[in-house]
Amino acid sequence: MKPKQINKPMLHHHDDTCECGHAHHDHHAEGVHCDGGHGHDHTPQQHTQHACEEVPCACGCGHDHTHDHCGEEDDSGGDDEEHAHHHEHAHEDTCGCGHNHDHAHHSATCGYEHNHDHDHEAKPQQHVDTAVLAKADKKVYHLENLGCAHCASKMEEKIRKLPTVSDATIIFATKQLRIAADDCDALLPEIRKICTSIESQVQVIQPVSPSAKKTTLHHNQKKHAEDRLELFSILAGALLFAAGAITHQLELDPRIMIALSVLSYLLLGGKVIIEALKNISKGQIFDENFLMSVATIGAFAISEYLEAVGVMLFYRVGEYFEHKAVEKSRGQIMNAIDMRPEVVNLVSGDSVTVIAAETAAVGDILLIRPGDRIPLDGVIVEGKSRIDTAPITGEPVPVSAAAGDSVTSGCINTSGQLWIRVEKPLAESMVTKILDSVENAAAGKPKIDRFITRFSKVYTPCVVGAALLLAVVPSLLTGDWNYWVYTALTFLVMSCPCALVLSVPLAFFSGIGAGSKKGILFKGGLSIEALGKLSAVVMDKTGTITEGNFVVQKVVSTGTYTEERLLSLCAGCEQNSTHPIAGSIVNAAKEKGLTIPTPGTLTEIAGCGIAAEIEEGLVLCGNRKLMKQYQITVPATAAEIGAEVLIAVDGTLQGFLIISDTIKADAKSAVSRLKAMGLHTVMLTGDAKAAAETVAAEVGIDQVYAKLLPQDKLTMLTKVREEQGSVMFVGDGINDAPVLAGADVGAAMGSGADAAIEAADAVFMQTNVASIPDAIAIARATGRIAKQNVIFALLIKAIVMVLGIVGFANMWLAVFADSGVAMLCVLNAIRILYKKKQ
């Protein structure tokens, strides 16, 4: 019996190996027409909502929820990763990460707004604002004049102990205090008291808005004046010290040398002694001001005048350059990241007004001149230009943009003048999201940082205790008090752990900055640390290794029709379909300039294909089931890898089309780099095995798991971890939540989608596969630099201590082991920003 004819848009009807990643619909029964459009008028990563009734879910995720598609039966063998579900449940369930927690999904992104009341042991999530802080008031304060990393760790510890404080983190690299408490502002007086008791010049203030930066001009001028005064006091003290040393060498009256030394010491060490006395009055004893004061005053007491002044001079010079190096590194990283505009050009009729960026509202029209940075996310309403996206994605090649195209804030307009309509205010635009993401990442401390913080609490008292024993015990035994007191004083100079406490977080912050310059957003120090220890990389296929689009790869004629005519006939049957494969056929015909016929009638056979009346007669366009139904013989040799669309005219097979997803241009080279790093590569997909293995072979992937449901992917990921060790999963960041959660490191491919930024440990702003080895290389380099700094600082201190005990070291060398080493560690930490290749 011939199928019923209908004249309505035709949709799914393709073969079991179409690779589209969508469940194919068996619908359009008698008189029934789904007006939902199947949700296929989109890229394979995004589903539009269906206008169908609710149907039972068979996605396998284990939740009761409403699907945003029409209950289709999947006969495609396609990649189920592409399904988007709209979960609406507040019951306790299992999301796939292996933990039970309450879900609160509000979008079609399963797994991204979980309020977890637990810690993932396998996966180092780095969100400061997580479930444990969900109900707390969260604030970010700026710590102006914060100059001591060790002091910052002390402040953080005390603030954490305040009542109602859920969490508090001080990021020395950004001078920020991030706090979660019942009422942060109510605690502000107590927070200020704590900070000033540890470092008296620190001011706790609210961060200024971009447009208010000009109001800080007075503060900057004051800071420059203070820097000049400090430099002047160091130079003046150095001249007096040099004069004292000359009088000593000329063997002039010793009182001249002593007087010059005292004057020099007051210029160089007066500030240090005053700070030490202030801190002692507040109960802060073992800080570097106190230790340097005791060491140098002790040197005066044993008549080592020039030594005392020289050590204080070396200390002040070291501190000055250390602070300059830290400020420079902060500035370089923050300038690369903080792309928020201060002002924008608002168009009102024929006039252009300059207004503060944060006051621009959605719908406003902004003028973007050539060379300007795009200030806010928007859509071009007039003009044509090329946009440099490198500041956001790291992609060096500018892209064309014209009216109707979306533009992302932070990118640069390189040529023509543009008028854009604001789609998101400053607080929601990409430039702010990137800044927030990086600052949140800096707040997530890696294990090595936490270890150094704990170690520093033990290290300083131990060295001070050792210095005291060294001053007393050998002196009592030998009677040589001067020698052993001097040796003990060198221990005191070295006992400050600033080089350790400063260099590790700065190394990780530099790694975060280096990643952002390449369009890679790390979610925290733990993520970088975990990335540096990977054994395997597991990748989703569609959207990660492949482009996620479909292209007609081949048209084969097996009858009397030319390839062009076969493509034209097939496009005529498919022209009303919104399915990606149908779209690829129509696009291929249009690109060749072919005339697309309009069928007189169309008949869709659910799950099989289309029968259409065209000038040539009855044209069948579909899969083997369709051909079998019409008793048309199809040779077994016709099948190839990809989606097979067969074409028959008046009962005779005339040919077929092969359609498949395209592999990304850099996929092969990126996988080669991963292998060169010693990493095992795996691909997970819902595609048919043959199609998956073809892609894997072409790219060079070691292992393939095909025909997987979403829950199967997590099982396979666990299997890979058991076989290989620590594993990273890279997906599209939208529909792979369970696998992202289950991996040691989850990374999302995508142009900074909100859900991806929320979900993954790392987000690749551009969709190049090269971002994967780039991220791992940066993480490994960051880990190496952090370890180098720790080993270098401890080794130098240990060597100088041993040399001091045996009589081959003096306080000059001890100061180098403190301030000099700290400065070298800072310079080592920021060199990752300048590496051409990681």
Side-chain angles (χ1 to χ4, degrees):
M1 178 178 172
K2 225 175 172 182
K4 181 180 178 181
Q5 295 180 337
I6 53 175
N7 292 313
K8 291 188 179 181
M10 298 296 111
L11 301 168
H12 295 281
H13 46 261
H14 297 294
D15 190 27
D16 292 354
T17 58
C18 80
E19 300 180 62
C20 74
H22 301 284
H24 292 191
H25 299 228
D26 289 333
H27 65 301
H28 294 290
E30 293 286 332
V32 178
H33 176 67
C34 172
D35 60 356
H38 302 265
H40 288 111
D41 51 341
H42 53 71
T43 61
Q45 288 84 3
Q46 297 173 321
H47 287 252
T48 54
Q49 193 172 19
H50 292 244
C52 305
E53 65 274 343
E54 294 184 11
V55 293
C57 171
C59 73
C61 72
H63 299 295
D64 294 324
H65 49 266
T66 303
H67 273 244
D68 282 348
H69 52 78
C70 301
E72 56 267 33
E73 180 184 341
D74 187 354
D75 63 356
S76 68
D79 194 341
D80 288 300
E81 73 206 5
E82 305 300 341
H83 289 293
H85 305 149
H86 183 65
H87 293 233
E88 295 180 327
H89 42 250
H91 57 277
E92 189 170 280
D93 215 325
T94 306
C95 71
C97 63
H99 300 281
N100 290 328
H101 45 270
D102 291 337
H103 288 254
H105 300 248
H106 302 291
S107 65
T109 53
C110 175
Y112 284 139
E113 297 294 331
H114 296 184
N115 293 325
H116 291 239
D117 293 324
H118 56 74
D119 294 324
H120 287 269
E121 293 181 1
K123 179 185 176 185
Q125 285 286 18
Q126 282 301 307
H127 306 295
V128 176
D129 304 337
T130 49
V132 70
L133 313 177
K135 296 181 180 179
D137 177 27
K138 308 179 193 85
K139 285 291 178 69
V140 178
Y141 299 105
H142 187 71
L143 303 181
E144 195 65 50
N145 301 321
L146 178 66
C148 171
H150 186 42
C151 299
S153 65
K154 292 179 184 178
M155 295 173 195
E156 179 183 294
E157 184 181 7
K158 286 199 168 188
I159 293 169
R160 281 175 180 268
K161 293 178 181 178
L162 290 176
T164 76
V165 172
S166 304
D167 187 58
T169 304
I170 291 179
I171 309 107
F172 182 74
T174 58
K175 293 187 179 180
Q176 284 183 334
L177 164 63
R178 289 176 172 257
I179 185 170
D182 289 349
D183 187 350
C184 295
D185 289 339
L187 292 172
L188 197 52
E190 190 65 27
I191 293 170
R192 285 175 172 151
K193 184 179 177 182
I194 289 171
C195 292
T196 53
S197 71
I198 296 171
E199 199 170 357
S200 60
Q201 68 271 28
V202 170
Q203 298 176 21
V204 184
I205 59 176
Q206 297 275 7
V208 296
S209 64
S211 63
K213 287 180 182 177
K214 295 178 182 178
T215 64
T216 63
L217 180 61
H218 174 71
H219 171 77
N220 291 335
Q221 289 174 340
K222 183 181 176 182
K223 194 172 186 303
H224 288 317
E226 290 174 352
D227 286 345
R228 285 195 297 270
L229 182 61
E230 182 175 2
L231 186 58
F232 172 78
S233 66
I234 291 172
L235 292 174
L239 289 173
L240 289 170
F241 167 72
I246 291 170
T247 60
H248 179 69
Q249 290 296 321
L250 295 176
E251 297 183 355
L252 300 178
D253 189 340
R255 289 176 294 181
I256 298 175
M257 181 269 291
I258 293 172
L260 289 172
S261 296
V262 170
L263 286 173
S264 177
Y265 185 80
L266 290 175
L267 271 173
L268 294 168
K271 176 183 175 182
V272 176
I273 293 172
I274 291 170
E275 281 298 318
L277 292 173
K278 282 182 181 178
N279 292 339
I280 289 171
S281 68
K282 297 170 183 175
Q284 297 292 327
I285 299 177
F286 294 119
D287 70 341
E288 63 182 341
N289 293 306
F290 171 77
L291 296 169
M292 283 302 304
S293 298
V294 170
T296 51
I297 290 171
F300 264 100
I302 59 175
S303 300
E304 295 286 349
Y305 305 110
L306 288 174
E307 184 91 353
V309 177
V311 166
M312 186 60 79
L313 172 63
F314 195 7
Y315 169 72
R316 287 290 301 279
V317 170
E319 286 287 288
Y320 180 80
F321 283 111
E322 179 190 327
H323 287 313
K324 286 296 178 185
V326 171
E327 289 299 323
K328 186 174 178 62
S329 66
R330 278 181 179 142
Q332 287 170 331
I333 296 169
M334 294 310 295
N335 287 341
I337 295 165
D338 192 356
M339 296 175 285
R340 294 174 302 171
E342 294 183 17
V343 294
V344 295
N345 299 315
L346 176 68
V347 177
S348 302
D350 295 331
S351 63
V352 177
T353 308
V354 177
I355 63 170
E358 62 263 35
T359 62
V362 174
D364 284 350
I365 304 299
L366 305 181
L367 172 63
I368 317 295
R369 298 184 177 94
D372 286 353
R373 190 183 295 275
I374 294 169
L376 305 172
D377 293 358
V379 174
I380 298 173
V381 294
E382 187 179 342
K384 186 177 182 181
S385 182
R386 294 187 69 82
I387 306 296
D388 179 6
T389 63
I392 299 298
T393 67
E395 175 58 50
V397 180
V399 296
S400 297
D405 292 338
S406 295
V407 288
T408 303
S409 54
C411 299
I412 297 170
N413 178 27
T414 62
S415 51
Q417 197 159 253
L418 297 175
W419 286 261
I420 70 167
R421 182 179 66 251
V422 176
E423 295 293 309
K424 293 181 181 178
L426 180 61
E428 298 174 16
S429 285
M430 185 56 66
V431 286
T432 303
K433 288 178 184 176
I434 290 174
L435 178 64
D436 289 345
S437 181
V438 170
E439 290 178 344
N440 282 330
K445 298 184 179 181
K447 291 179 182 178
I448 188 173
D449 194 359
R450 296 199 298 269
F451 163 75
I452 291 300
T453 302
R454 291 194 301 268
F455 175 79
S456 65
K457 295 176 184 177
V458 178
Y459 168 80
T460 301
C462 286
V463 176
V464 172
L468 184 62
L469 290 173
L470 198 61
V472 176
V473 176
S475 299
L476 290 173
L477 295 175
T478 64
D480 191 353
W481 285 88
N482 272 19
Y483 174 79
W484 291 109
V485 167
Y486 181 84
T487 303
L489 293 175
T490 64
F491 267 56
L492 283 181
V493 172
M494 287 183 291
S495 63
C496 183
C498 271
L500 291 169
V501 178
L502 169 65
S503 60
V504 172
L506 194 59
F508 277 87
F509 189 54
S510 296
I512 291 167
S516 70
K517 288 170 71 175
K518 287 180 171 287
I520 300 167
L521 297 183
F522 296 111
K523 301 302 286 290
L526 273 177
S527 298
I528 295 179
E529 212 167 39
L531 270 168
K533 299 176 182 177
L534 292 177
S535 300
V537 176
V538 178
M539 293 167 279
D540 179 32
K541 173 183 163 287
T542 307
T544 301
I545 298 171
T546 64
E547 296 286 358
N549 59 8
F550 292 89
V551 176
V552 175
Q553 303 291 348
K554 185 185 291 187
V555 180
V556 178
S557 175
T558 60
T560 60
Y561 285 81
T562 64
E563 294 177 359
E564 287 76 11
R565 187 54 182 164
L566 285 176
L567 180 59
S568 174
L569 291 174
C570 196
C573 295
E574 301 282 4
Q575 61 186 310
N576 293 321
S577 175
T578 56
H579 189 280
I581 288 181
S584 70
I585 294 170
V586 175
N587 289 338
K590 288 180 178 178
E591 286 172 6
K592 289 179 178 292
L594 303 178
T595 301
I596 300 175
T598 301
T601 58
L602 284 176
T603 301
E604 180 175 5
I605 298 89
C608 296
I610 292 174
E613 290 289 346
I614 301 181
E615 184 181 347
E616 279 81 354
L618 178 64
V619 177
L620 302 176
C621 181
N623 58 23
R624 289 172 176 261
K625 293 178 184 177
L626 179 66
M627 299 299 133
K628 185 178 180 181
Q629 183 172 343
Y630 280 82
Q631 300 179 348
I632 295 171
T633 303
V634 179
T637 55
E640 294 188 19
I641 299 302
E644 179 188 60
V645 180
L646 302 163
I647 307 161
V649 180
D650 283 337
T652 304
L653 182 69
Q654 294 294 337
F656 58 90
L657 277 60
I658 298 297
I659 299 160
S660 63
D661 197 354
T662 53
I663 296 172
K664 290 183 179 178
D666 65 336
K668 189 172 182 178
S669 61
V671 171
S672 296
R673 285 178 61 194
L674 291 173
K675 287 186 173 182
M677 293 175 173
L679 296 168
H680 183 71
T681 54
V682 182
M683 185 176 80
L684 304 183
T685 179
D687 283 356
K689 187 177 180 180
E693 288 178 346
T694 299
V695 171
E698 186 171 341
V699 175
I701 288 173
D702 298 318
Q703 197 171 5
V704 182
Y705 292 103
K707 297 285 289 183
L708 299 177
L709 295 172
Q711 62 269 31
D712 297 332
K713 291 184 180 180
L714 183 58
T715 303
M716 291 304 161
L717 182 85
T718 305
K719 181 181 177 183
V720 172
R721 182 191 285 116
E722 290 171 354
E723 294 173 352
Q724 302 293 333
S726 180
V727 63
M728 173 191 191
F729 177 76
V730 187
D732 60 15
I734 302 297
N735 301 304
D736 291 311
V739 204
L740 285 168
D744 296 284
V745 180
M749 280 279 186
S751 302
D754 293 353
I757 290 176
E758 284 297 319
D761 299 303
V763 178
F764 303 141
M765 302 296 287
Q766 56 177 321
T767 57
N768 292 349
V769 189
S771 294
I772 303 172
D774 283 347
I776 295 170
I778 290 170
R780 287 184 175 183
T782 300
R784 284 196 302 270
I785 288 172
K787 288 175 183 176
Q788 287 167 7
N789 283 347
V790 171
I791 293 169
F792 177 67
L794 289 176
L795 188 62
I796 295 297
K797 285 179 182 287
I799 290 172
V800 174
M801 284 180 183
V802 173
L803 290 175
I805 291 173
V806 299
F808 289 102
N810 55 26
M811 274 195 280
W812 292 74
L813 197 56
V815 171
F816 170 76
D818 177 36
S819 297
V821 167
M823 185 175 66
L824 290 175
C825 286
V826 169
L827 295 175
N828 188 44
I830 64 174
R831 69 185 171 88
I832 191 172
L833 291 168
Y834 302 100
K835 292 182 74 173
K836 298 294 182 184
K837 284 190 175 181
Q838 305 298 339

